[in-house]
């Protein structure tokens, strides 16, 4: 079978191709092109959700053509320029995360800290998974007045923090954890399921007939709903057996916004000055279904009690069932939301920088991130573009990066791969 270059589609049949590719690109350039495409994927996901809520930005839209054009065959052979383009894309991702946050807040109100039930209530059920708050909001309007309980799953958990979504009596709680528990969770709960964004898995036969997709999400042999009329989902939920009343073993907390943290700024300053808060950690990101991800739970469990943990994205499920307590009334676990809400963590870091009159990189603040897919790549480049140094990433190094790229990231940004939780904590707290 002939092999083809995936960049220029020409057959890999001459000496030049096997060494540097038909198009003459060296491996680092090729990998940086892949990286740029991943960042653009991430940006497009957030922009898509912003547009669903009616929010647009010409500059973001224009960047797609520049970014994608830059990955065409024989258009750019300059590795250094691809680093610059990646940083530019990182800033574009910053801009799109801001836009999506604005869209969420203006549509559903500023989130406030909220406790979320993790058990089931007696009644029919719909589980909504993914990132798409618009889909959840429209569904909640349509189930009003029925006995259907709507449960969030995975990245939909932060929806409970928004007053405009929380107000619906049918929003009953959150079931399961990160995206990869779908097959076991959905098989055992007789609910209708609505998949609203990426991170929806191909269903097993156990629930294929009761899962639906909407918006950008699509699955083979699964009913897709165009627009926002969820009558079929509601009909399916009503046809299924009712769930039993079964309280959860713990509650989850979410819904911290920039405002809710700023409201606590005097208290935070006081606690830092008293030495009662030693360090802030941002722990989260897109979780990976591997045992190596247990690092994040162990890391959080081993943190001393004078540390505060800010969580975001589905990586939070590695640790958010743990009761971390508080420091003189300030919760030690502060969940700011979905992966796109990294913007909130960034704004909190900027606010701390102002509060303590200290550059972000000199704050007692460390980011410990897990990653899986394209949005995480976009977020990493946002943080690099903002000049954030000393980020710990894992469980493995990005597949698109070769030694040359990793060295560049290590030298310029002090990027680190996670190691042993205890040793990492000791090193971070000593520095
Ligand atoms: Fe990522 Fe799917 Fe969890 Fe949004 S996008 S966080 S994995």
């Amino acid at each position: 079978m002939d092999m083809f270059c995936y960049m220029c589609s020409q057959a890999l049949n001459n000496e030049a191709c096997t060494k540097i590719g038909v198009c003459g690109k060296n491996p680092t350039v090729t990998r940086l092109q892949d990286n740029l495409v991943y960042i653009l994927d991430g940006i497009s996901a957030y922009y898509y959700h912003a547009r669903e809520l009616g929010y647009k930005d010409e500059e973001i839209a224009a960047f797609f053509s520049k970014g994608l054009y830059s990955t065409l065959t024989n258009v750019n052979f300059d590795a250094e320029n691809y680093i610059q383009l990646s940083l530019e894309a990182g800033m574009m991702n910053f801009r799109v995360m801001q836009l999506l946050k604005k869209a969420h807040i203006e549509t559903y109100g500023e989130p406030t800290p909220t406790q979320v039930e993790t058990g089931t209530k007696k009644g029919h059920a719909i589980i909504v998974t993914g990132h798409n708050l618009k889909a959840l909001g429209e569904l909640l309007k349509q189930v009003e007045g029925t006995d259907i309980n709507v449960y969030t799953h995975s990245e939909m958990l932060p929806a409970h923090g928004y007053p405009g979504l929380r107000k619906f009596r049918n929003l009953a709680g959150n079931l399961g954890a990160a995206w990869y528990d779908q097959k076991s969770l959905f098989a055992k709960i007789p609910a209708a399921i609505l998949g609203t964004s990426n991170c929806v898995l191909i269903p097993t036969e156990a629930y294929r007939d009761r899962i639906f997709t909407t918006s950008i999400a699509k699955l083979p042999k699964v009913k897709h709903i165009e627009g926002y009329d969820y009558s079929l989902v509601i009909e399916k939920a009503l046809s299924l057996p009712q769930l039993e009343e079964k309280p959860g073993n713990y509650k989850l907390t979410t819904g911290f916004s920039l405002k809710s943290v700023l409201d606590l700024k005097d208290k935070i300053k006081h606690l830092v000055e008293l030495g009662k808060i030693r360090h802030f950690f941002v722990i989260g990101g897109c979780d990976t279904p591997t045992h190596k991800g247990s690092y994040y739970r162990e890391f959080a469990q081993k943190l001393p009690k004078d540390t505060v943990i800010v969580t975001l994205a589905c990586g939070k499920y590695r640790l958010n069932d743990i009761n971390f307590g508080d420091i003189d009334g300030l919760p030690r676990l502060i969940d700011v939301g979905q992966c796109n809400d990294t913007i909130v963590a960034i704004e909190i870091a900027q606010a701390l920088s102002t509060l303590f009159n200290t550059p972000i990189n000199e704050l007692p603040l460390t980011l410990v991130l897990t990653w899986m897919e394209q949005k995480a790549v976009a977020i990493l480049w946002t943080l690099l573009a903002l000049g954030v140094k000393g980020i710990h990433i894992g469980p493995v190094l990005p597949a698109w990066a070769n030694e040359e790229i990793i060295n560049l990231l290590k030298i310029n940004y002090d990027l680190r791969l996670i190691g042993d939780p205890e040793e990492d904590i000791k090193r971070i707290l000593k520095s």
Side-chain angles (χ1 to χ4, degrees):
M1 195 176 79
D2 286 340
M3 299 285 287
F4 293 91
C5 169
Y6 75 99
M7 288 192 299
C8 61
S9 307
Q10 295 188 55
L12 290 169
N13 59 1
N14 62 42
E15 206 186 328
C17 327
T18 53
K19 284 190 182 145
I20 51 172
V22 170
C23 33
K25 292 199 167 91
N26 75 36
T28 298
V29 167
T30 306
R31 283 163 183 268
L32 287 169
Q33 283 189 325
D34 287 350
N35 169 55
L36 185 56
V37 172
Y38 296 152
I39 304 174
L40 290 165
D41 287 343
I43 297 172
S44 65
Y46 297 150
Y47 192 49
Y48 191 92
H49 292 311
R51 279 175 54 92
E52 282 185 304
L53 290 164
Y55 288 73
K56 294 180 188 165
D57 181 326
E58 271 312 310
E59 209 171 306
I60 296 167
F63 187 76
F64 287 123
S65 61
K66 177 180 175 183
L68 278 174
Y69 195 4
S70 303
T71 66
L72 249 62
T73 308
N74 291 10
V75 73
N76 184 343
F77 294 80
D78 184 349
E80 177 54 35
N81 184 253
Y82 277 110
I83 297 283
Q84 289 313 317
L85 276 168
S86 302
L87 293 169
E88 201 182 322
M91 285 315 292
M92 210 45 76
N93 188 54
F94 178 81
R95 192 176 170 104
V96 78
M97 289 192 295
Q98 274 183 322
L99 183 74
L100 184 54
K101 191 74 214 176
K102 179 175 153 74
H104 285 160
I105 288 177
E106 290 183 358
T107 312
Y108 304 114
E110 179 110 29
T112 52
T114 309
Q115 292 222 310
V116 182
E117 298 287 345
T118 56
T120 53
K121 288 185 179 168
K122 173 100 184 143
H124 295 103
I126 299 174
I127 303 174
V128 186
T129 187
H131 301 72
N132 191 328
L133 297 191
K134 164 92 175 171
L136 176 68
E138 295 306 307
L139 174 70
L140 286 169
K141 285 182 206 162
Q142 293 167 37
V143 295
E144 261 195 305
T146 71
D147 78 335
I148 297 173
N149 294 309
V150 175
Y151 299 91
T152 56
H153 171 251
S154 191
E155 274 287 73
M156 202 53 88
L157 166 68
H160 294 268
Y162 290 87
L165 295 170
R166 194 169 60 219
K167 70 180 183 188
F168 290 99
R169 197 187 54 80
N170 303 70
L171 187 60
N174 186 79
L175 298 177
W179 61 276
Y180 50 84
D181 73 0
Q182 284 173 44
K183 291 189 183 183
S184 55
L185 181 80
F186 296 169
K188 72 180 180 213
I189 298 179
I193 301 141
L194 186 60
T196 69
S197 71
N198 64 313
C199 305
V200 63
L201 296 176
I202 294 177
T204 64
E205 292 313 315
Y207 64 93
R208 190 189 293 277
D209 65 335
R210 50 188 172 84
I211 183 169
F212 299 81
T213 55
T214 188
S215 179
I216 197 80
K218 288 208 171 83
L219 292 167
K221 294 192 218 146
V222 163
K223 181 83 192 154
H224 179 77
I225 294 168
E226 293 294 345
Y228 298 99
D229 178 355
Y230 296 125
S231 317
L232 286 178
V233 187
I234 293 168
E235 220 174 90
K236 177 56 79 177
L238 291 172
S239 76
L240 294 164
Q242 294 195 355
L243 304 197
E244 293 304 322
E245 185 84 27
K246 193 171 172 219
N249 296 328
Y250 52 87
K251 287 184 183 177
L252 297 173
T253 306
T254 188
F256 282 86
S257 61
L258 176 64
K259 183 180 177 310
S260 48
V261 173
L262 286 182
D263 287 347
L264 295 166
K265 74 175 191 315
D266 293 339
K267 185 175 190 105
I268 292 171
K269 189 158 193 266
H270 187 58
L271 290 172
V272 170
E273 283 166 356
L274 285 178
K276 291 193 171 186
I277 298 179
R278 188 179 359 167
H279 207 93
F280 298 87
F281 289 89
V282 176
I283 306 179
C286 295
D287 198 9
T288 318
T290 131
H291 71 277
K292 286 184 181 168
S294 59
Y295 170 93
Y296 297 89
R297 186 176 186 86
E298 215 182 314
F299 185 94
Q301 279 174 320
K302 290 200 155 113
L303 285 175
K305 296 205 179 326
D306 54 1
T307 55
V308 172
I309 304 165
V310 176
T311 56
L312 51 88
C314 68
K316 68 163 78 71
Y317 287 101
R318 291 281 179 179
L319 53 113
N320 64 353
D321 59 316
I322 300 171
N323 182 357
F324 288 95
D326 63 274
I327 303 173
D328 287 1
L330 182 88
R332 282 191 60 218
L333 186 77
I334 292 178
D335 181 51
V336 297
Q338 301 177 311
C339 48
N340 37 288
D341 293 319
T342 302
I343 190 66
V344 180
I346 292 170
E347 287 168 352
I348 290 173
Q350 289 169 336
L352 289 176
S353 167
T354 309
L355 189 65
F356 295 105
N357 197 19
T358 305
I360 286 182
N361 285 323
E362 288 171 31
L363 286 171
L365 167 72
T366 305
L367 283 77
V368 186
L369 304 178
T370 173
W371 72 351
M372 172 71 195
E373 45 76 271
Q374 296 92 329
K375 295 178 189 176
V377 180
I379 288 167
L380 177 67
W381 282 94
T382 300
L383 295 167
L384 299 179
L386 290 169
V388 180
K389 294 193 173 161
I391 302 170
H392 290 58
I393 60 166
V396 292
L397 286 169
W400 45 260
N402 59 10
E403 217 181 311
E404 194 179 351
I405 300 170
I406 292 295
N407 279 341
L408 184 137
L409 296 177
K410 279 184 183 166
I411 291 165
N412 292 338
Y413 300 99
D414 192 22
L415 191 75
R416 289 162 186 268
L417 181 64
I418 57 167
D420 172 72
E422 203 159 338
E423 280 169 21
D424 286 350
I425 291 170
K426 264 195 219 152
R427 182 178 34 77
I428 292 166
L429 292 180
K430 225 192 294 164
S431 60

